[in-house]
């Protein structure tokens, strides 16, 4: 990167195409690895945080771990000796860093580099990438891998908070506070809230858990692998078999799309499993059982996968409050019924602004078109296969609109492969820019929205919707179908401009 006055020149020949990748989570590192392994070595990765890992760098809260099987929630090109089926945050962060080092890519990563503007230059056919600290550079291709769960959703009451003790968002954990013996409020009972509650309950003095709406919980049945199991899993056939087994199970689960339809046999069968878990854990505690049983269909909100969460709610030092927090005083939190609970620490497990794609980045395409304004004009974020947008040549998104498909790392690799195929096409044809056709984009998104309009996500309050109510996060089928679409449609949908 150069200072603002002296902008770096992009390579004139497509063979040394310069690529800017934004974000160094699973997505950015997937893109970097596909670029490296396919010979496109002229790239930089800009990451706002001080290190790589994305959500696995940021979320250091107690109990943070993945819900998806690690064999499957990992790169195809990099097997790993996981310590348990669902690995904890430090292991995932280390894994991503190892992937960077294995491929010798570390020198291409620029940390503490917050991208704020990406602007296409029609005449030069390049993007100017601008950083918050004033640095900028010129690139032929830009890949956004900024993820979905980075911008914390702070509750209204936290603005100008009068509470005198520590109060922080779960993804910005303040490790300097010792919680032992303290009265702690955990606000929010989603996946993160459930993990924190289960992890800290044994050590805090008293824990208040505030739940606005319940969510379906599935048992993880997670245990550390024995030394013997780890030894046998180091065999690559055993490992790949495990990976394949999980992949197959997940594809079967999502393939027909039936799981996403309210009242369908598949949906009811899964909610029955979740209901049975409530019965097992809380059958003899009718008030608690009723409080944690959701009214919404299974899968309409992100399910919780946890061991011991319901059991933790029954502990003598835990008070479960079936209400949202609406305010604080100097030493207490206040719920929607006006009840006040004196606490020493407040932890906000209140989620993220997931539907706010490319938050904080101004993306400018052909003829000065702003991506955020374009999205406003079509009722909310959308893209062809969640990756490319008409009039934004050579701009790719990983984990973009409607690509929260379920097998995220596999999907990120699918998208990285798609990007590399386009770069190879540019190299072969001599084209300096590719862009998705308006018609392809329109047809794809009308198919998508018509499928989504019949799903469980429509009638439920969840993070899948933009402010206009458009479903902009989920995909109504399985990863394997999404993968097939990326193989079938890319060549006809993208044109040289
Ligand atoms: C606590 C938690 C648990 C999760 N568990 C699961 C799970 O069990 N299974 C699952 O499938 N998914 C899970 N997810 C979803 C998770 O987001 C994805 O699985 C995956 O990590 C996405 O990777 P990513 O690289 O696309 O995004 P991220 O990991 O979010 O990485 C994006 C990176 O981009 C950087 N960035 C953003 N904006 C800018 C900018 N303007 N300039 C520079 N850098 C920028 C961010 O700092 C971040 O490092 C979880 C998410 C969270 C928060």
């Amino acid at each position: 990167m150069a200072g603002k006055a002296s902008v770096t020149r992009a390579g004139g020949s497509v063979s040394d195409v310069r690529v800017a990748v934004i974000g160094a989570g699973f997505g950015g590192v997937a893109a970097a690895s596909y670029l490296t392994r396919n010979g496109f070595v002229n790239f930089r990765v800009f990451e706002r945080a001080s290190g790589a890992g994305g959500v696995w760098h940021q979320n250091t809260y107690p109990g943070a771990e993945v819900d998806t099987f690690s064999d499957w929630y990992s790169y195809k090109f990099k097997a790993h000796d996981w310590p348990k089926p669902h690995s904890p945050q430090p292991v995932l962060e280390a894994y991503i860093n190892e992937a960077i080092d294995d491929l010798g890519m570390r020198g291409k990563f620029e940390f503490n580099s917050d991208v704020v503007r990406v602007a296409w230059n029609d005449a030069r056919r390049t993007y100017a990438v601008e950083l918050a600290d004033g640095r900028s550079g010129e690139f032929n291709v830009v890949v956004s891998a900024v993820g979905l769960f980075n911008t914390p959703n702070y509750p209204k009451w936290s603005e100008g908070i009068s509470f005198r003790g520590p109060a922080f968002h779960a993804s910005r954990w303040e490790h300097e506070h010792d919680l032992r013996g303290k009265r702690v409020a955990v606000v929010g009972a989603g996946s993160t809230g459930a993990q924190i509650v289960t992890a800290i309950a044994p050590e805090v003095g008293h824990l208040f858990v505030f739940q606005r709406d319940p969510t379906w919980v599935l048992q993880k049945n997670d245990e550390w692998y024995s030394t013997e199991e780890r030894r046998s899993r180091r065999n690559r056939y055993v490992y790949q078999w495990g990976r394949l087994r999980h992949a197959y199970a997940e594809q079967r689960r999502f393939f027909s799309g039936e799981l996403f339809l309210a009242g369908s046999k598949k949906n009811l069968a899964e909610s029955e499993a979740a209901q049975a878990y409530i019965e097992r854990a809380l059958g003899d505690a009718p008030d608690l059982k009723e409080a944690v049983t959701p009214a919404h269909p299974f899968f309409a909100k992100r399910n919780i996968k946890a061991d011991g969460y319901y059991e933790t709610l029954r502990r003598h030092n835990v008070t479960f409050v079936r209400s949202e927090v609406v305010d604080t005083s100097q030493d207490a939190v206040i719920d929607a019924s006006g009840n006040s609970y004196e606490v020493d620490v407040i932890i906000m497990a209140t989620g993220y602004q997931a539907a706010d794609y490319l938050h904080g980045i101004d993306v400018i395409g052909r003829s000065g078109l702003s991506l955020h304004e374009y999205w406003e004009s079509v009722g909310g974020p959308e893209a062809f296969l969640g990756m490319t947008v008409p009039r934004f040549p050579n701009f790719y998104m990983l984990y973009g609109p409607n690509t929260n498909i379920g097998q995220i790392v596999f999907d990120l690799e699918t998208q990285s492969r798609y990007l590399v195929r386009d770069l190879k096409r540019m190299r072969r044809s001599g084209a300096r820019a590719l862009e998705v056709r308006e018609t392809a984009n329109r047809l794809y998104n009308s198919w998508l929205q018509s499928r989504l309009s019949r799903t469980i996500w429509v009638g439920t309050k969840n993070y899948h919707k933009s402010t206009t109510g458009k479903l902009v996060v989920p995909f109504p089928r399985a990863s394997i179908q999404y993968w097939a679409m990326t193989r079938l449609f890319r060549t006809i949908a993208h044109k040289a401009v």
Side-chain angles (χ1 to χ4, degrees):
M1 288 300 265
K4 229 185 176 143
S6 59
V7 171
T8 317
R9 284 265 163 120
S13 137
V14 284
S15 60
D16 38 77
V17 57
R18 271 173 63 80
V19 183
V21 179
I22 313 170
F26 260 113
V29 175
S33 77
Y34 276 81
L35 289 169
T36 302
R37 289 179 300 143
N38 286 279
F40 295 98
V41 292
N42 201 357
F43 70 88
R44 309 298 297 167
V45 182
F46 301 109
E47 167 55 57
R48 178 159 64 192
S50 59
V55 301
W56 303 113
H57 173 77
Q58 286 156 15
N59 287 273
T60 58
Y61 60 79
E65 67 174 29
V66 70
D67 285 350
T68 312
F69 282 108
S70 292
D71 288 353
W72 186 224
Y73 189 78
S74 49
Y75 297 124
K76 185 171 167 226
F77 62 84
K78 185 169 168 56
H80 194 68
D81 178 15
W82 302 110
K84 65 204 264 286
H86 303 90
S87 290
Q89 172 269 330
V91 177
L92 290 159
E93 186 183 7
Y95 172 80
I96 295 173
N97 277 286
E98 240 181 71
I100 295 174
D101 293 328
D102 283 358
L103 292 168
M105 304 188 296
R106 191 156 295 272
K108 297 189 183 294
F109 283 66
E110 298 192 22
F111 297 111
N112 304 307
S113 298
D114 188 2
V115 174
V116 290
R117 194 165 191 270
V118 172
W120 177 252
N121 182 318
D122 282 321
R124 298 181 59 79
R125 293 176 167 219
T126 54
Y127 279 102
V129 173
E130 296 174 20
L131 271 60
D133 60 12
R135 286 177 295 151
S136 68
E138 191 179 22
F139 294 87
N140 305 98
V141 173
V142 173
V143 183
S144 158
V146 297
L148 224 64
F149 303 103
N150 286 291
T151 312
N153 187 28
Y154 285 99
K156 271 250 160 312
W157 51 261
S158 68
E159 291 162 19
I161 190 168
S162 54
F163 185 70
R164 279 183 305 200
F168 50 87
H169 193 271
S171 67
R172 307 289 184 269
W173 196 268
E174 296 180 5
H175 289 274
E176 64 272 31
H177 309 299
D178 185 358
L179 300 183
R180 279 176 296 180
K182 298 272 169 42
R183 296 164 304 174
V184 178
V186 174
V187 182
S191 292
T192 296
Q195 289 183 339
I196 295 171
V197 163
T198 312
I200 68 173
E203 67 180 46
V204 300
H206 199 90
L207 187 60
F208 296 88
V209 182
F210 293 86
Q211 173 199 272
R212 188 180 58 189
D213 302 305
T215 305
W216 292 107
V217 179
L218 291 173
Q219 234 174 327
K220 253 182 181 167
N221 294 317
D222 212 29
E223 280 186 21
W224 298 90
Y225 289 127
S226 66
T227 317
E228 195 42 54
E229 280 172 311
R230 285 182 75 162
R231 190 175 307 126
S232 98
R233 284 170 47 79
R234 277 181 211 130
N235 177 308
R236 79 185 157 112
Y237 297 106
V238 173
Y239 184 87
Q240 289 305 339
W241 169 241
R243 201 177 139 83
L244 214 70
R245 223 160 28 95
H246 294 311
Y248 178 68
E250 288 294 278
Q251 301 318 303
R252 271 195 63 184
R253 203 167 161 229
F254 297 131
F255 198 84
S256 64
E258 202 195 322
L259 180 62
F260 312 133
L261 304 177
S264 70
K265 239 166 98 180
K266 213 168 189 158
N267 190 283
L268 290 176
E270 294 218 11
S271 74
E272 273 162 24
Q275 238 147 9
Y277 179 32
I278 297 178
E279 197 55 50
R280 274 197 309 281
L282 303 170
D284 59 345
D287 288 351
L288 208 46
K289 180 179 144 186
E290 204 238 316
V292 301
T293 305
H296 62 258
F298 187 80
F299 218 75
K301 288 176 178 229
R302 190 180 169 185
N303 298 324
I304 297 174
K305 275 182 117 189
D307 289 329
Y309 171 59
Y310 286 151
E311 293 78 357
T312 301
L313 299 182
R314 307 184 63 158
R315 286 176 63 97
H316 69 277
N317 69 335
V318 174
T319 302
F320 182 76
V321 185
R322 194 183 177 179
S323 175
E324 64 180 315
V325 167
V326 293
D327 207 353
T328 62
S329 63
Q330 289 190 346
D331 53 8
V333 289
I334 299 160
D335 73 12
S337 314
N339 299 314
S340 177
Y341 305 83
E342 279 192 17
V343 293
D344 305 304
V345 181
I346 303 175
I347 297 160
M348 291 171 258
T350 44
Y352 304 86
Q353 295 172 32
D356 191 4
Y357 283 92
L358 291 168
H359 177 91
I361 310 183
D362 201 9
V363 180
I364 307 295
R366 282 200 286 123
S367 314
L369 181 67
S370 146
L371 184 53
H372 288 290
E373 279 173 26
Y374 167 70
W375 278 343
E376 235 179 270
S377 75
V378 292
E382 62 177 41
F384 179 68
L385 295 171
M387 278 185 281
T388 50
V389 182
R391 285 176 284 166
F392 292 82
N394 293 2
F395 180 73
Y396 296 82
M397 284 174 283
L398 268 53
Y399 212 178
N402 298 103
T403 62
N404 193 35
I405 308 173
Q407 286 71 58
I408 304 301
V409 180
F410 175 83
D411 305 330
L412 293 168
E413 288 197 75
T414 298
Q415 294 168 344
S416 301
R417 226 175 276 125
Y418 186 96
L419 156 77
V420 161
R421 286 214 163 85
D422 260 7
L423 297 186
K424 286 182 176 169
R425 176 174 166 189
M426 286 166 73
R427 185 157 63 188
R428 264 195 324 271
S429 67
R432 288 183 62 193
L434 294 178
E435 181 183 311
V436 65
R437 294 174 201 276
E438 296 265 4
T439 323
N441 182 55
R442 200 170 49 247
L443 287 174
Y444 173 75
N445 279 292
S446 54
W447 167 81
L448 188 72
Q449 288 302 326
S450 99
R451 289 278 163 191
L452 289 169
S453 67
R454 293 173 236 159
T455 60
I456 42 173
W457 296 302
V458 177
T460 312
K461 196 170 175 208
N462 50 40
Y463 64 64
H464 298 319
K465 294 173 190 158
S466 70
T467 48
T468 60
K470 178 174 170 180
L471 283 166
V472 296
V473 174
F475 183 77
R477 284 288 189 276
S479 286
I480 197 76
Q481 287 146 306
Y482 176 76
W483 169 85
M485 286 176 162
T486 66
R487 300 307 298 260
L488 288 171
F489 301 140
R490 181 189 55 83
T491 318
I492 47 170
H494 284 192
K495 60 177 182 185
V497 288

